[in-house]
Amino acid sequence: MRMPYLEGSTKHRREKLSKKHFGHLWENGVGCPIGTVPILRVTKADLLRLKSLGGDNSNPRGSWNNTYEPMLSGNDHHFAVTRTKRGPKLYNGAAMRVAIFTPPVEPNQISSTRLHVQIGSEFIQAGWTVNPLLYPGVITRLFVYTNAGGHQCYHSRCPDGAGMILVRADMAPGIPLDPQSIKAIDIAITKDPTTGNWGLFVSNEEIGFWPSSRFKESSGTRVEWGGEVYSPLSSPSPPMGNGRFPVGNPHYDSYIRDISIIDGNYKTDNTVKNTESYTDNSRGYKVRDSTQTWWKVRK
């Protein structure tokens, strides 16, 4: 997960999202007018679909409280992640580069790859998801999930005083990410040392922020990077990432790389040695950390 990419390659430059503008992701090529932000139109049917098909059981979560079941599917959520080990460490941010795929899922399933920052008993997630419970169809989208102040919500679908405040006119959670044109995306969640606010950055551009008052704790307590899927217990679990077990080839594998954390003293750590790999069902999902094995690049 820490494999360096080829900064100077033509392919790398073509596949990166613009660091200045995201208008090319919109039908009008621009986004919203200056001084405004996108507001997702939520219909009554959207809310009824989410409530009837998934409810609270489908809500994103961290992997730390899951039970390891190597041969069974006894949970409706499954994980394949690298995560910080339990302990007294504090975190003021984390980042990743994540490859984008569109795993096939059924209408009552979810497959996501995300960065998860635990803040005491609350948390923030950001990454990509295929979630027909939230949006019709099998489409990969940028997503943000907030668990704070006794509320859990996607994007801006939050009660006052709970969710992220959007600041960009040309980028918003929920926007489609076509893996044919966008191969990978950089995502970071960091805490401002002056205001204490938590910010969401996509390709080094701030997309939104959470005021520090949203959370009971002032610093992060754990971080994890990786995949999470949901399916009712009556159905087989969906694919994660590209649906294949990792083999150590970035041209084949679904990957998260260039992971980093910001420690309690606001120092960036690009080695992130205080981690462990975890999957709760090794028969269905696997994770391979490049600190354990070489990631061989084949042309």
Side-chain angles (χ1 to χ4, degrees):
M1 288 189 177
R2 302 170 178 81
M3 179 72 180
Y5 51 78
L6 303 178
E7 283 283 1
S9 69
T10 301
K11 184 176 181 181
H12 169 74
R13 292 194 299 270
R14 184 176 66 247
E15 292 174 352
K16 285 192 68 176
L17 284 173
S18 168
K19 290 186 177 182
K20 300 300 181 183
H21 302 287
F22 300 101
H24 61 284
L25 298 175
W26 297 78
E27 290 184 1
N28 66 5
V30 178
C32 294
I34 295 174
T36 67
V37 296
I39 298 177
L40 181 67
R41 181 177 297 170
V42 181
T43 67
K44 183 177 180 180
D46 293 333
L47 297 176
L48 290 175
R49 181 175 62 252
L50 183 62
K51 183 176 181 180
S52 63
L53 291 179
D56 292 340
N57 288 338
S58 67
N59 288 342
R61 60 191 65 173
S63 68
W64 290 278
N65 293 327
N66 247 47
T67 302
Y68 177 58
E69 299 183 47
M71 299 297 290
L72 301 174
S73 297
N75 292 315
D76 51 7
H77 285 255
H78 293 290
F79 303 88
V81 301
T82 289
R83 62 191 186 184
T84 56
K85 297 177 181 179
R86 296 177 184 268
K89 290 181 177 291
L90 296 178
Y91 303 93
N92 287 319
M96 68 177 183
R97 163 163 290 194
V98 56
I100 298 174
F101 295 94
T102 303
V105 301
E106 298 298 323
N108 59 352
Q109 297 178 330
I110 304 170
S111 184
S112 305
T113 301
R114 77 289 188 275
L115 168 62
H116 177 113
V117 177
Q118 192 76 26
I119 308 171
S121 61
E122 303 167 316
F123 65 83
I124 299 168
Q125 283 193 8
W128 63 256
T129 187
V130 179
N131 186 345
L133 295 173
L134 197 60
Y135 300 101
V138 180
I139 300 172
T140 305
R141 297 178 184 269
L142 179 71
F143 89 98
V144 172
Y145 190 81
T146 306
N147 179 323
H151 301 288
Q152 300 187 54
C153 47
Y154 283 96
H155 314 333
S156 57
R157 300 181 179 184
C158 300
D160 290 342
M164 184 186 75
I165 298 173
L166 191 63
V167 300
R168 292 283 301 204
D170 57 356
M171 172 59 97
I175 196 167
L177 300 173
D178 182 4
Q180 296 302 315
S181 59
I182 305 171
K183 302 300 182 183
I185 189 171
D186 297 310
I187 293 177
I189 298 171
T190 63
K191 180 185 170 186
D192 187 288
T194 301
T195 64
N197 297 339
W198 291 88
L200 171 66
F201 293 81
V202 176
S203 295
N204 297 323
E205 294 292 317
E206 186 175 20
I207 303 304
F209 71 95
W210 295 261
S212 58
S213 58
R214 295 279 199 267
F215 303 96
K216 299 175 183 177
E217 302 291 336
S218 60
S219 294
T221 48
R222 298 173 189 168
V223 180
E224 69 177 40
W225 304 259
E228 176 183 358
V229 297
Y230 164 81
S231 182
L233 293 178
S234 58
S235 303
S237 295
M240 185 184 294
N242 63 5
R244 304 166 180 168
F245 282 159
V247 299
N249 183 346
H251 302 303
Y252 180 90
D253 293 343
S254 174
Y255 64 81
I256 293 175
R257 59 189 184 188
D258 301 327
I259 68 172
S260 64
I261 59 98
I262 299 175
D263 66 19
N265 295 316
Y266 290 96
K267 294 182 179 179
T268 300
D269 178 4
N270 294 315
T271 59
V272 198
K273 295 180 179 180
N274 182 44
T275 60
E276 61 185 7
S277 296
Y278 172 79
T279 178
D280 66 300
N281 188 321
S282 59
R283 183 179 181 181
Y285 307 102
K286 292 184 179 181
V287 59
R288 187 173 184 175
D289 195 324
S290 66
T291 60
Q292 301 168 356
T293 57
W294 290 104
W295 189 354
K296 299 178 182 178
V297 180
R298 302 180 181 90
K299 297 182 179 179

